[in-house]
């Protein structure tokens, strides 16, 4: 899964630029608003707690967080968002799963279809690729600062299913319901958590090479940059040499 993991590294580096232009804050606020519809108490709403933690990690002001919660619970008037997923294929045949938060579904699907067409992909029907992914909790730990055995022991004790090293990071995966338990256990063991999120992990991967690599990455980036898109997942696998050439 070298390519998929590399894309996550690229996204982490881009996060600083995203925050500067406000795109990241917009997405975080939408996620808090959506999550708060299920209840405004993060103690009893794991999704809201995850959204708040993500916002705090990006230094979002508490006032912004509180307003987003109140809009979600209905205490303040605001835009009504809905969650929609879209599925398709990239150049090279990799599956792409898109999670969007929008106040206008017709606008969003038209924009996503245009992006696919422009960059050589194909927007598919519902459930055309969703079955290729599992929704999982994923926690990232800095592998250069944490002991591997201690990290794995803490993660497994809290209900994690697997841990792998990906470059300078340990990627811990487990059931969605155990996201906070795993995160808290790591913190108790003084193991710093870089990121904790719910993500769509591919069950298997598709090798992409040649000219399709550049097109695929451009398509992924174009989708990521859309205001209505919250997350983009893919099952592509690209070898290190092809990835380096495409991202040079």
């Amino acid at each position: 899964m070298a390519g998929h993991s590399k894309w996550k590294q690229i996204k982490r580096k881009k996060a600083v630029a995203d925050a500067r232009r406000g795109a990241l804050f917009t997405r975080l606020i939408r996620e808090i608003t959506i999550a708060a519809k299920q209840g405004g108490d993060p103690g009893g709403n794991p999704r809201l707690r995850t959204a708040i933690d993500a916002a705090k990690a990006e230094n979002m002001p508490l006032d912004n967080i509180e307003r987003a919660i109140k809009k979600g619970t209905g205490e303040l008037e605001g835009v009504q968002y809905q969650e929609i997923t879209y599925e398709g294929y990239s150049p090279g045949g990799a599956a792409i799963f898109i999670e969007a938060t929008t106040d206008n579904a017709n606008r969003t699907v038209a924009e996503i279809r245009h992006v696919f067409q422009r960059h050589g992909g194909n927007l598919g029907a519902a459930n055309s690729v969703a079955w290729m992914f599992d929704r999982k909790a994923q926690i990232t730990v800095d592998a250069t600062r944490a002991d591997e055995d201690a990290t794995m022991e803490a993660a497994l004790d809290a209900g994690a299913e697997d841990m792998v090293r990906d470059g300078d990071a340990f990627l811990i995966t487990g059931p969605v319901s155990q996201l906070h338990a795993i995160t808290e256990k790591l913190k108790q063991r003084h193991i710093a958590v870089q990121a904790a999120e719910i993500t769509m992990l591919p069950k298997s991967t598709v090798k992409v090479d040649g000219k399709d690599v550049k097109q695929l990455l451009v398509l992924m980036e174009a989708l990521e940059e859309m205001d209505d898109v919250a997350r983009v997942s893919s099952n592509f696998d690209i070898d290190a040499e092809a990835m380096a050439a495409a991202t040079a």
Side-chain angles (χ1 to χ4, degrees), residues 32-34 36-38 67-76:
I32 293 171
T33 302
I34 285 282
K37 288 183 177 182
Q38 305 301 317
R67 279 197 302 273
I69 293 172
K70 289 179 179 179
K71 287 178 180 179
T73 59
E75 294 176 66
L76 290 177

Side-chain angles (χ1 to χ4, degrees), residues 41-106:
D41 177 14
N45 185 340
R47 180 175 177 180
L48 178 59
R49 183 178 173 185
T50 300
I52 292 172
D53 287 347
K56 288 181 176 179
E58 299 297 339
N59 298 313
M60 180 181 289
L62 290 178
D63 286 349
N64 294 32
I65 295 173
E66 291 172 1
R67 279 197 302 273
I69 293 172
K70 289 179 179 179
K71 287 178 180 179
T73 59
E75 294 176 66
L76 290 177
E77 289 189 13
V79 176
Q80 296 299 309
Y81 294 113
Q82 60 178 311
E83 294 178 284
I84 306 178
T85 59
Y86 302 95
E87 305 168 40
Y89 288 92
S90 76
I96 296 181
F97 186 84
I98 302 159
E99 298 170 80
T101 305
T102 179
D103 60 343
N104 187 326
N106 290 332

Side-chain angles (χ1 to χ4, degrees), residues 17-205:
D18 286 344
R20 279 201 297 265
R21 64 173 180 260
L24 182 58
F25 272 22
T26 298
R27 293 178 185 179
L28 291 170
I29 287 172
R30 288 188 182 188
E31 174 62 17
I32 293 171
T33 302
I34 285 282
K37 288 183 177 182
Q38 305 301 317
D41 177 14
N45 185 340
R47 180 175 177 180
L48 178 59
R49 183 178 173 185
T50 300
I52 292 172
D53 287 347
K56 288 181 176 179
E58 299 297 339
N59 298 313
M60 180 181 289
L62 290 178
D63 286 349
N64 294 32
I65 295 173
E66 291 172 1
R67 279 197 302 273
I69 293 172
K70 289 179 179 179
K71 287 178 180 179
T73 59
E75 294 176 66
L76 290 177
E77 289 189 13
V79 176
Q80 296 299 309
Y81 294 113
Q82 60 178 311
E83 294 178 284
I84 306 178
T85 59
Y86 302 95
E87 305 168 40
Y89 288 92
S90 76
I96 296 181
F97 186 84
I98 302 159
E99 298 170 80
T101 305
T102 179
D103 60 343
N104 187 326
N106 290 332
R107 178 197 68 222
T108 302
V109 70
E111 291 178 350
I112 288 177
R113 181 178 290 109
H114 175 71
V115 169
F116 268 97
Q117 292 173 342
R118 182 179 179 185
H119 298 293
N122 294 289
L123 185 62
N127 299 316
S128 58
V129 307
W131 60 273
M132 301 181 190
F133 297 84
D134 286 322
R135 186 175 291 275
K136 294 289 184 179
Q138 186 172 76
I139 298 91
T140 305
V141 172
D142 186 348
T144 66
R145 300 175 57 190
D147 178 76
E148 183 171 3
D149 290 338
T151 302
M152 180 174 288
E153 180 183 0
L156 294 177
D157 282 349
E161 297 169 334
D162 191 23
M163 186 181 90
V164 297
R165 179 157 187 161
D166 177 38
D168 59 0
F170 293 129
L171 299 179
I172 300 164
T173 56
V176 170
S177 60
Q178 296 304 111
L179 177 67
H180 292 292
I182 298 168
T183 302
E184 290 304 315
K185 177 65 74 172
L186 292 170
K187 290 179 179 178
Q188 289 172 12
R189 301 284 180 87
H190 305 291
I191 299 169
V193 173
Q194 290 184 318
E197 61 181 344
I198 305 301
T199 189
M200 296 292 282
L201 294 181
K203 298 176 183 178
S204 60
T205 58

